Amino acid sequence: MSETAPRFAAYPSLKGRSVFITGGGSGIGESLVRHFCAQGSRVAFVDIAEAPSRRLVEDIAAAGDPAPLFVPCDLRDVEALKAAVATAAEHNGPIGVLCNNAGNDDRHQTEDVTTAYWDDRMAVNLRHQFFAAQTVRPYMKALGGGSIINFGSITWMVGDPDCPAYVTAKAAVWGLTRALAREFGPERIRVNCMAPGWVMTERQVKLWLTPAGEKQIAERQCLPDRLQPADIARMALFLASDDSLMCSSQQFIVDGGWV
């Protein structure tokens, strides 16, 4: 059964809606792109990796869903990000949904962190979320509302010890969400935070799903199944749709019950 199989919800309000997704070329972002396209949304996404992103566009078009617009972009370049948002709005119409998904959880130890590496981790995992939200706000205001979904992580809640700069950035995403939700709320722009658990993306499986990792999941996750990118995408669909019209300034944890 495909990850966008009919047994899952369809949201009429997402059909034709302009959606902008960061980091959409692989992993969770790829699943977001596929799911929104399957809903009939007009999707644009950015990613630094061009080859897999272009293959994704081809795959979706071949499947018969509306093909997304791919704009190559290194999100550390804020001006390039702003230009990509403008291109997406010109192509798909005013943006009504922003999925601030892009990030990188490379492992590191405190003694190895330099100021340059720290600043880069903030740029990769936090800074672009603010500027993407800042840039889409006028479009959403003109539409009479919108949905911004910032992607955090459960890592800061559980205190993962092997990526302190990443953990710090993801904790800050929650603070950013609360601040923007309060500021943007009068314009009916909803801002929520998604906090995924250990999602079995290709990268995670390849780099870190060791026997010790499997043991950790078995011990700490309440549900026995492995968390998949589609599990995150389906929650994002709900938060983007009109079904969640009164949900804002909240954190939605999808982690299989990590304790």
Side-chain angles (χ1 to χ4, degrees), residues 169-190:
K170 288 303 184 178
V173 170
W174 176 222
L176 175 65
T177 299
R178 296 281 286 179
L180 296 185
R182 175 62 69 178
E183 182 181 355
F184 294 6
E187 298 160 13
R188 294 186 177 86
I189 300 171
R190 299 176 289 114

PDB file of all heavy atoms in Angstrom, residues 169-190:
ATOM      1  N   ALA A 169      19.135  24.685  18.468  1.00  0.00           N
ATOM      2  CA  ALA A 169      18.351  25.291  17.392  1.00  0.00           C
ATOM      3  C   ALA A 169      16.909  24.802  17.413  1.00  0.00           C
ATOM      4  O   ALA A 169      15.974  25.588  17.239  1.00  0.00           O
ATOM      5  CB  ALA A 169      19.005  24.985  16.041  1.00  0.00           C
ATOM      6  N   LYS A 170      16.719  23.506  17.645  1.00  0.00           N
ATOM      7  CA  LYS A 170      15.366  22.954  17.632  1.00  0.00           C
ATOM      8  C   LYS A 170      14.558  23.407  18.844  1.00  0.00           C
ATOM      9  O   LYS A 170      13.332  23.569  18.752  1.00  0.00           O
ATOM     10  CB  LYS A 170      15.430  21.425  17.553  1.00  0.00           C
ATOM     11  CG  LYS A 170      15.884  20.924  16.187  1.00  0.00           C
ATOM     12  CD  LYS A 170      14.976  21.436  15.070  1.00  0.00           C
ATOM     13  CE  LYS A 170      15.339  20.896  13.717  1.00  0.00           C
ATOM     14  NZ  LYS A 170      14.431  21.360  12.651  1.00  0.00           N
ATOM     15  N   ALA A 171      15.209  23.622  19.962  1.00  0.00           N
ATOM     16  CA  ALA A 171      14.504  24.202  21.109  1.00  0.00           C
ATOM     17  C   ALA A 171      14.055  25.624  20.787  1.00  0.00           C
ATOM     18  O   ALA A 171      12.948  26.049  21.138  1.00  0.00           O
ATOM     19  CB  ALA A 171      15.409  24.199  22.342  1.00  0.00           C
ATOM     20  N   ALA A 172      14.899  26.351  20.074  1.00  0.00           N
ATOM     21  CA  ALA A 172      14.565  27.725  19.706  1.00  0.00           C
ATOM     22  C   ALA A 172      13.396  27.789  18.731  1.00  0.00           C
ATOM     23  O   ALA A 172      12.650  28.775  18.722  1.00  0.00           O
ATOM     24  CB  ALA A 172      15.783  28.410  19.101  1.00  0.00           C
ATOM     25  N   VAL A 173      13.222  26.760  17.919  1.00  0.00           N
ATOM     26  CA  VAL A 173      12.084  26.734  16.993  1.00  0.00           C
ATOM     27  C   VAL A 173      10.768  26.812  17.757  1.00  0.00           C
ATOM     28  O   VAL A 173       9.810  27.454  17.307  1.00  0.00           O
ATOM     29  CB  VAL A 173      12.138  25.470  16.111  1.00  0.00           C
ATOM     30  CG1 VAL A 173      10.844  25.300  15.320  1.00  0.00           C
ATOM     31  CG2 VAL A 173      13.322  25.533  15.158  1.00  0.00           C
ATOM     32  N   TRP A 174      10.703  26.180  18.906  1.00  0.00           N
ATOM     33  CA  TRP A 174       9.489  26.229  19.727  1.00  0.00           C
ATOM     34  C   TRP A 174       9.242  27.657  20.216  1.00  0.00           C
ATOM     35  O   TRP A 174       8.123  28.166  20.164  1.00  0.00           O
ATOM     36  CB  TRP A 174       9.612  25.242  20.873  1.00  0.00           C
ATOM     37  CG  TRP A 174       8.497  25.228  21.876  1.00  0.00           C
ATOM     38  CD1 TRP A 174       8.631  25.139  23.231  1.00  0.00           C
ATOM     39  CD2 TRP A 174       7.079  25.261  21.638  1.00  0.00           C
ATOM     40  NE1 TRP A 174       7.393  25.133  23.841  1.00  0.00           N
ATOM     41  CE2 TRP A 174       6.426  25.204  22.884  1.00  0.00           C
ATOM     42  CE3 TRP A 174       6.305  25.343  20.481  1.00  0.00           C
ATOM     43  CZ2 TRP A 174       5.042  25.232  23.019  1.00  0.00           C
ATOM     44  CZ3 TRP A 174       4.921  25.379  20.607  1.00  0.00           C
ATOM     45  CH2 TRP A 174       4.305  25.319  21.868  1.00  0.00           C
ATOM     46  N   GLY A 175      10.286  28.341  20.677  1.00  0.00           N
ATOM     47  CA  GLY A 175      10.130  29.730  21.089  1.00  0.00           C
ATOM     48  C   GLY A 175       9.717  30.626  19.938  1.00  0.00           C
ATOM     49  O   GLY A 175       8.852  31.512  20.092  1.00  0.00           O
ATOM     50  N   LEU A 176      10.314  30.398  18.779  1.00  0.00           N
ATOM     51  CA  LEU A 176       9.947  31.161  17.590  1.00  0.00           C
ATOM     52  C   LEU A 176       8.483  30.955  17.240  1.00  0.00           C
ATOM     53  O   LEU A 176       7.765  31.910  16.907  1.00  0.00           O
ATOM     54  CB  LEU A 176      10.836  30.722  16.412  1.00  0.00           C
ATOM     55  CG  LEU A 176      10.518  31.324  15.051  1.00  0.00           C
ATOM     56  CD1 LEU A 176      10.758  32.834  15.051  1.00  0.00           C
ATOM     57  CD2 LEU A 176      11.353  30.644  13.964  1.00  0.00           C
ATOM     58  N   THR A 177       8.034  29.725  17.328  1.00  0.00           N
ATOM     59  CA  THR A 177       6.639  29.406  17.022  1.00  0.00           C
ATOM     60  C   THR A 177       5.683  30.175  17.921  1.00  0.00           C
ATOM     61  O   THR A 177       4.702  30.766  17.456  1.00  0.00           O
ATOM     62  CB  THR A 177       6.397  27.892  17.165  1.00  0.00           C
ATOM     63  OG1 THR A 177       7.233  27.193  16.228  1.00  0.00           O
ATOM     64  CG2 THR A 177       4.948  27.533  16.928  1.00  0.00           C
ATOM     65  N   ARG A 178       5.967  30.177  19.205  1.00  0.00           N
ATOM     66  CA  ARG A 178       5.094  30.868  20.157  1.00  0.00           C
ATOM     67  C   ARG A 178       5.051  32.373  19.875  1.00  0.00           C
ATOM     68  O   ARG A 178       3.987  32.994  19.925  1.00  0.00           O
ATOM     69  CB  ARG A 178       5.587  30.612  21.576  1.00  0.00           C
ATOM     70  CG  ARG A 178       5.525  29.147  22.003  1.00  0.00           C
ATOM     71  CD  ARG A 178       4.141  28.721  22.390  1.00  0.00           C
ATOM     72  NE  ARG A 178       3.784  29.270  23.692  1.00  0.00           N
ATOM     73  CZ  ARG A 178       2.609  29.078  24.287  1.00  0.00           C
ATOM     74  NH1 ARG A 178       1.667  28.371  23.677  1.00  0.00           N
ATOM     75  NH2 ARG A 178       2.362  29.590  25.477  1.00  0.00           N
ATOM     76  N   ALA A 179       6.218  32.951  19.573  1.00  0.00           N
ATOM     77  CA  ALA A 179       6.272  34.394  19.321  1.00  0.00           C
ATOM     78  C   ALA A 179       5.527  34.768  18.045  1.00  0.00           C
ATOM     79  O   ALA A 179       4.742  35.732  18.021  1.00  0.00           O
ATOM     80  CB  ALA A 179       7.728  34.844  19.232  1.00  0.00           C
ATOM     81  N   LEU A 180       5.752  34.013  16.974  1.00  0.00           N
ATOM     82  CA  LEU A 180       5.099  34.342  15.705  1.00  0.00           C
ATOM     83  C   LEU A 180       3.599  34.088  15.760  1.00  0.00           C
ATOM     84  O   LEU A 180       2.821  34.821  15.147  1.00  0.00           O
ATOM     85  CB  LEU A 180       5.731  33.542  14.566  1.00  0.00           C
ATOM     86  CG  LEU A 180       7.201  33.835  14.252  1.00  0.00           C
ATOM     87  CD1 LEU A 180       7.637  33.051  13.018  1.00  0.00           C
ATOM     88  CD2 LEU A 180       7.455  35.327  14.068  1.00  0.00           C
ATOM     89  N   ALA A 181       3.194  33.047  16.475  1.00  0.00           N
ATOM     90  CA  ALA A 181       1.761  32.758  16.583  1.00  0.00           C
ATOM     91  C   ALA A 181       1.022  33.923  17.235  1.00  0.00           C
ATOM     92  O   ALA A 181      -0.076  34.304  16.806  1.00  0.00           O
ATOM     93  CB  ALA A 181       1.550  31.479  17.385  1.00  0.00           C
ATOM     94  N   ARG A 182       1.631  34.499  18.254  1.00  0.00           N
ATOM     95  CA  ARG A 182       1.017  35.648  18.926  1.00  0.00           C
ATOM     96  C   ARG A 182       1.000  36.866  18.010  1.00  0.00           C
ATOM     97  O   ARG A 182      -0.014  37.581  17.914  1.00  0.00           O
ATOM     98  CB  ARG A 182       1.789  35.958  20.215  1.00  0.00           C
ATOM     99  CG  ARG A 182       1.324  37.208  20.954  1.00  0.00           C
ATOM    100  CD  ARG A 182      -0.104  37.101  21.420  1.00  0.00           C
ATOM    101  NE  ARG A 182      -0.255  36.135  22.482  1.00  0.00           N
ATOM    102  CZ  ARG A 182      -1.404  35.867  23.099  1.00  0.00           C
ATOM    103  NH1 ARG A 182      -2.504  36.500  22.711  1.00  0.00           N
ATOM    104  NH2 ARG A 182      -1.469  34.962  24.052  1.00  0.00           N
ATOM    105  N   GLU A 183       2.093  37.107  17.312  1.00  0.00           N
ATOM    106  CA  GLU A 183       2.183  38.295  16.462  1.00  0.00           C
ATOM    107  C   GLU A 183       1.302  38.183  15.217  1.00  0.00           C
ATOM    108  O   GLU A 183       0.641  39.142  14.821  1.00  0.00           O
ATOM    109  CB  GLU A 183       3.635  38.526  16.032  1.00  0.00           C
ATOM    110  CG  GLU A 183       3.823  39.778  15.178  1.00  0.00           C
ATOM    111  CD  GLU A 183       5.256  39.984  14.726  1.00  0.00           C
ATOM    112  OE1 GLU A 183       6.146  39.213  15.153  1.00  0.00           O
ATOM    113  OE2 GLU A 183       5.485  40.921  13.932  1.00  0.00           O
ATOM    114  N   PHE A 184       1.287  37.001  14.599  1.00  0.00           N
ATOM    115  CA  PHE A 184       0.570  36.829  13.338  1.00  0.00           C
ATOM    116  C   PHE A 184      -0.911  36.485  13.528  1.00  0.00           C
ATOM    117  O   PHE A 184      -1.695  36.564  12.590  1.00  0.00           O
ATOM    118  CB  PHE A 184       1.206  35.708  12.510  1.00  0.00           C
ATOM    119  CG  PHE A 184       2.606  35.975  12.007  1.00  0.00           C
ATOM    120  CD1 PHE A 184       3.318  37.107  12.378  1.00  0.00           C
ATOM    121  CD2 PHE A 184       3.217  35.073  11.152  1.00  0.00           C
ATOM    122  CE1 PHE A 184       4.612  37.335  11.919  1.00  0.00           C
ATOM    123  CE2 PHE A 184       4.502  35.288  10.669  1.00  0.00           C
ATOM    124  CZ  PHE A 184       5.201  36.426  11.061  1.00  0.00           C
ATOM    125  N   GLY A 185      -1.282  36.110  14.738  1.00  0.00           N
ATOM    126  CA  GLY A 185      -2.633  35.636  14.998  1.00  0.00           C
ATOM    127  C   GLY A 185      -3.742  36.578  14.583  1.00  0.00           C
ATOM    128  O   GLY A 185      -4.750  36.135  13.996  1.00  0.00           O
ATOM    129  N   PRO A 186      -3.633  37.884  14.841  1.00  0.00           N
ATOM    130  CA  PRO A 186      -4.699  38.796  14.428  1.00  0.00           C
ATOM    131  C   PRO A 186      -4.946  38.788  12.918  1.00  0.00           C
ATOM    132  O   PRO A 186      -6.016  39.220  12.471  1.00  0.00           O
ATOM    133  CB  PRO A 186      -4.186  40.164  14.907  1.00  0.00           C
ATOM    134  CG  PRO A 186      -3.300  39.844  16.077  1.00  0.00           C
ATOM    135  CD  PRO A 186      -2.632  38.560  15.696  1.00  0.00           C
ATOM    136  N   GLU A 187      -3.982  38.306  12.149  1.00  0.00           N
ATOM    137  CA  GLU A 187      -4.144  38.210  10.700  1.00  0.00           C
ATOM    138  C   GLU A 187      -4.651  36.819  10.279  1.00  0.00           C
ATOM    139  O   GLU A 187      -4.665  36.502   9.093  1.00  0.00           O
ATOM    140  CB  GLU A 187      -2.806  38.523  10.022  1.00  0.00           C
ATOM    141  CG  GLU A 187      -2.332  39.938  10.303  1.00  0.00           C
ATOM    142  CD  GLU A 187      -0.833  40.129  10.079  1.00  0.00           C
ATOM    143  OE1 GLU A 187      -0.186  39.243   9.480  1.00  0.00           O
ATOM    144  OE2 GLU A 187      -0.315  41.170  10.518  1.00  0.00           O
ATOM    145  N   ARG A 188      -5.059  36.041  11.258  1.00  0.00           N
ATOM    146  CA  ARG A 188      -5.548  34.668  11.039  1.00  0.00           C
ATOM    147  C   ARG A 188      -4.476  33.776  10.405  1.00  0.00           C
ATOM    148  O   ARG A 188      -4.783  32.857   9.666  1.00  0.00           O
ATOM    149  CB  ARG A 188      -6.839  34.649  10.213  1.00  0.00           C
ATOM    150  CG  ARG A 188      -8.023  35.279  10.933  1.00  0.00           C
ATOM    151  CD  ARG A 188      -9.321  35.132  10.158  1.00  0.00           C
ATOM    152  NE  ARG A 188     -10.436  35.697  10.928  1.00  0.00           N
ATOM    153  CZ  ARG A 188     -10.783  36.972  10.915  1.00  0.00           C
ATOM    154  NH1 ARG A 188     -10.100  37.828  10.168  1.00  0.00           N
ATOM    155  NH2 ARG A 188     -11.799  37.402  11.643  1.00  0.00           N
ATOM    156  N   ILE A 189      -3.246  34.073  10.733  1.00  0.00           N
ATOM    157  CA  ILE A 189      -2.136  33.212  10.330  1.00  0.00           C
ATOM    158  C   ILE A 189      -1.793  32.326  11.521  1.00  0.00           C
ATOM    159  O   ILE A 189      -1.432  32.822  12.588  1.00  0.00           O
ATOM    160  CB  ILE A 189      -0.908  34.032   9.898  1.00  0.00           C
ATOM    161  CG1 ILE A 189      -1.259  34.922   8.706  1.00  0.00           C
ATOM    162  CG2 ILE A 189       0.261  33.105   9.564  1.00  0.00           C
ATOM    163  CD1 ILE A 189      -0.168  35.925   8.343  1.00  0.00           C
ATOM    164  N   ARG A 190      -1.961  31.039  11.327  1.00  0.00           N
ATOM    165  CA  ARG A 190      -1.700  30.073  12.389  1.00  0.00           C
ATOM    166  C   ARG A 190      -0.247  29.618  12.314  1.00  0.00           C
ATOM    167  O   ARG A 190       0.270  29.345  11.229  1.00  0.00           O
ATOM    168  CB  ARG A 190      -2.633  28.874  12.253  1.00  0.00           C
ATOM    169  CG  ARG A 190      -4.093  29.263  12.356  1.00  0.00           C
ATOM    170  CD  ARG A 190      -5.037  28.118  12.132  1.00  0.00           C
ATOM    171  NE  ARG A 190      -5.066  27.674  10.734  1.00  0.00           N
ATOM    172  CZ  ARG A 190      -4.651  26.499  10.306  1.00  0.00           C
ATOM    173  NH1 ARG A 190      -4.140  25.618  11.158  1.00  0.00           N
ATOM    174  NH2 ARG A 190      -4.723  26.178   9.024  1.00  0.00           N
TER     175      ARG A 190
END
